[in-house]
Structure formats: C-alpha cells, structure tokens
Amino acid sequence: MPKNALGIYIGEREIICTEVKLGGTIVVEKLIFSDIPEGAVSLGVITDIKSLAKILRNLLEQIEVTTDSAVTNIPPNLCGIKIIPEEPGYEKISNDQISWEMSYHMNEPQEELITSYQHAENSIILSAARKDDVIDRGRVLEDAGLFVESIQPQPVADFNLVSLISRLQSGFGAIVVHIDYPYSHVIIFDRGRFFYGVHFFTDIYALERMGETVDTARLRNDILDAVRITLGAYLKREPAFRPTGIIYIGKRLDEAFRNSLNDRLGFSEINIEKLVSRTMKIRVSTAKKPLSQLLPVVGLSLYLYYTK
C-alpha cells in the first residue's frame, strides 16, 4: 500500500483533488479544486481530455503532491454494480467470468466492458463500465503525469468511506444519500455489507439556488422516492435491518431541507462531521469546499487502503 494516495474527482462542472496519507490514521493533507470548461464532461462522458488533463496538471503542481498514485471516479450512470454472495473459490474469479456476468447485467457486449471486483462482508461487489468511458478517464490522469491505480464507481467509493467511519460503532448501519450532478445515488451500509440502490437525475442549479424562492418539491420527492425504493428492496433481503440513521454527502443540502426529508422518512441524521473527526484528520480548510463534498473524494483514495 502506498503511503499517500490521490483522490481525483472528475465531475460535470469541476475537478477536485485530495492527497490522503494512508495508515493507522487517515490524514487528508491537501485539497484543491477548479471549475472545468462547459461541455468538457457531458452526462459523465469525457469529451475534452486535453483540457481536463491540463487543468489537473496545474492543480497538482500548485499543491506539490508527493505521490503519483491516483484513484478517480466514474459516475453511477456510466457503470453497473452487482452484489453477489461470497462463495468458496470466488477469490480466484477471473475477469472473463466477471465480464460474462456483467454483460448480461448491463446489456452490453462482453468485449465492450472493463470490470473489477471488491470484497465486502459476506459478499463480492462486481463493477463494470464501457471501455471507452474508463479509458478516457484514465487518459486524463495519465496525461497529467499520474499512475492510475483504479477507476472506482462512486457508490463503491462511498461504501469504502462509510466502512472507515463505521469502525467506531458496533452494528453500524446507514442509508447514504450522495447528492451530485448530473446523477445522485443512494446506497445502504449494513454492518460491513454493501447494497446499491438507485441513481436519479439531479438539477444542481436548483440546489445552488436553495434559500431563494424556488420550487424544491421535485427534488425532495426524487430523494424520498430513491430512499424508499432502495430501503424497500433491501428489507426484502434483510428484513431485520434497522439503520442507525441517514448520511448526506456530496453537494450540501440546506439544513431545513434535510430536516424535512428526515421527518418524512422517519430517520435521524447521522453527524458525519463528528464521526469523521474521530476516524481521520482533516488538515485542509473546508471553508470553500464543504466536508460533505470533500469526503466522497477521500473515499476514492481509500480504495488503496482496503485493497493494497
């Protein structure tokens, strides 16, 4: 496992880069971010590799990173995720086996997919994405001088993040709502088990205008529906599941808006900042980039913490 790792989030409107020290205590040592040209990423698809690589290279130079080991994201609308029970011998699973299984899950030809897997509690997380989408994201990092350790589905990176903070509480379970543009998603963390729910389109501009006179009913209903669908599906598998609460990460939601969601769902909000302060050190300012938006990027780098 490298001593330090970079988490590189490539979004629709910005790039966020963190350098994280891996070890007994996770330390977020550096943070930098930048807007990107409009259209350089379209619904998650990279359309301007050269511009993005130039921006990323400049960001890395500004914070003087000490490693070239990097993990970047792929959004949920561009990947497929399937959880299967862990069986004897599955640690020797081949990429051909994963590709065959995921080709049916994604309705894509096997030869058009890049696949990966990760162990979770009593299960294996299978992931797949179209080769072109994965290669283009990797080229952005490589052209910026980085070594690509992994390209992680963002929901799996969120699982790795919650896995870290869950160590403080026995039997920890949570509904995790990640708000992003163009797609948000919901996952469940249940005592080390991972369950991927749904992703849904999110109007980021409505989020940014919160507090003004805007109609947020559609956004609220979309989040409520996504959580209820995800939880309902998981309860059919694990009817005894009782979440500790709900976690919001990604684009920050107004407190009053979150409270209205919690009231309708009947769950309390988990204080993510308190848990984070007890499991990792944040040595960067979160004045301009809220902790809720920083943490998913840290989750990307944690891939190396759990797999190397």
Side-chain angles (χ1 to χ4, degrees):
M1 179 175 67
K3 293 181 179 179
N4 285 39
L6 301 173
I8 309 292
Y9 165 88
I10 302 175
E12 200 81 1
R13 302 294 182 188
E14 65 180 346
I15 290 178
I16 307 173
C17 175
T18 62
E19 181 168 354
V20 178
K21 182 179 180 182
L22 306 175
T25 300
I26 303 297
V27 183
V28 183
E29 296 187 325
K30 297 176 182 179
L31 165 68
I32 195 167
F33 48 90
S34 174
D35 292 338
I36 60 176
E38 185 174 354
V41 179
S42 178
L43 297 179
V45 176
I46 304 294
T47 61
D48 190 345
I49 294 172
K50 184 176 180 180
S51 292
L52 295 177
K54 182 178 179 180
I55 291 170
L56 178 56
R57 191 181 308 112
N58 289 338
L59 294 176
L60 299 173
E61 290 174 354
Q62 288 181 55
I63 59 174
E64 299 180 341
V65 296
T66 63
T67 181
D68 64 355
S69 295
V71 179
T72 193
N73 66 312
I74 191 162
N77 62 306
L78 296 184
C79 62
I81 300 172
K82 185 176 182 180
I83 299 96
I84 60 174
E86 188 159 20
E87 301 171 353
Y90 233 103
E91 67 276 3
K92 298 179 182 178
I93 188 172
S94 70
N95 284 329
D96 285 343
Q97 288 173 292
I98 301 174
S99 296
W100 176 83
E101 181 141 12
M102 294 304 290
S103 66
Y104 289 96
H105 188 61
M106 293 187 65
N107 196 29
E108 291 278 357
Q110 184 174 343
E111 62 273 12
E112 293 296 322
L113 299 176
I114 291 180
T115 62
S116 64
Y117 73 96
Q118 179 178 324
H119 290 272
E121 184 71 23
N122 299 321
S123 63
I124 298 175
I125 306 168
L126 304 182
S127 304
R130 292 179 62 253
K131 282 184 178 179
D132 289 347
D133 295 329
V134 174
I135 290 171
D136 287 349
R137 285 184 173 255
R139 281 187 57 194
V140 172
L141 271 63
E142 290 170 347
D143 289 357
L146 298 176
F147 178 78
V148 183
E149 297 277 3
S150 179
I151 298 175
Q152 281 274 285
Q154 190 62 57
V156 179
D158 295 345
F159 167 74
N160 288 336
L161 170 70
V162 180
S163 295
L164 180 71
I165 65 176
S166 72
R167 298 185 302 184
L168 295 171
Q169 185 175 335
S170 176
F172 185 85
I175 301 165
V176 183
V177 179
H178 184 151
I179 302 297
D180 205 350
Y181 177 76
Y183 290 95
S184 300
H185 60 265
V186 180
I187 69 169
I188 285 176
F189 180 93
D190 179 14
R191 297 164 295 171
R193 300 186 185 97
F194 169 77
F195 184 79
Y196 177 53
V198 298
H199 64 265
F200 56 99
F201 181 77
T202 313
D203 182 0
I204 201 75
Y205 304 108
L207 296 180
E208 292 176 346
R209 294 192 301 268
M210 275 188 185
E212 301 176 13
T213 307
V214 295
D215 180 11
T216 58
R218 178 177 175 179
L219 173 64
R220 180 177 60 247
N221 290 336
D222 285 348
I223 296 173
L224 291 172
D225 289 345
V227 171
R228 288 166 177 159
I229 291 169
T230 300
L231 182 59
Y234 188 68
L235 287 173
K236 289 186 178 298
R237 176 183 294 187
E238 297 290 341
F241 174 63
R242 296 296 181 269
T244 308
I246 189 164
I247 295 173
Y248 298 99
I249 56 176
K251 190 71 177 178
R252 188 170 181 82
L253 296 171
D254 178 84
E255 183 178 1
F257 188 82
R258 299 197 313 273
N259 288 339
S260 72
L261 292 173
N262 299 337
D263 290 342
R264 290 168 182 255
L265 292 168
F267 296 115
S268 59
E269 183 175 350
I270 295 172
N271 188 331
I272 188 74
E273 295 189 8
K274 183 177 179 180
L275 290 178
V276 165
S277 67
R278 296 170 60 191
T279 52
M280 67 179 80
K281 294 181 179 179
I282 309 293
R283 291 181 175 170
V284 299
S285 171
T286 57
K288 295 183 178 180
K289 187 63 61 181
L291 186 63
S292 65
Q293 201 167 355
L294 165 63
L295 290 178
V297 193
V298 175
L300 291 168
S301 62
L302 291 178
Y303 166 81
L304 299 176
Y305 180 78
Y306 286 108
T307 62
K308 295 293 183 177

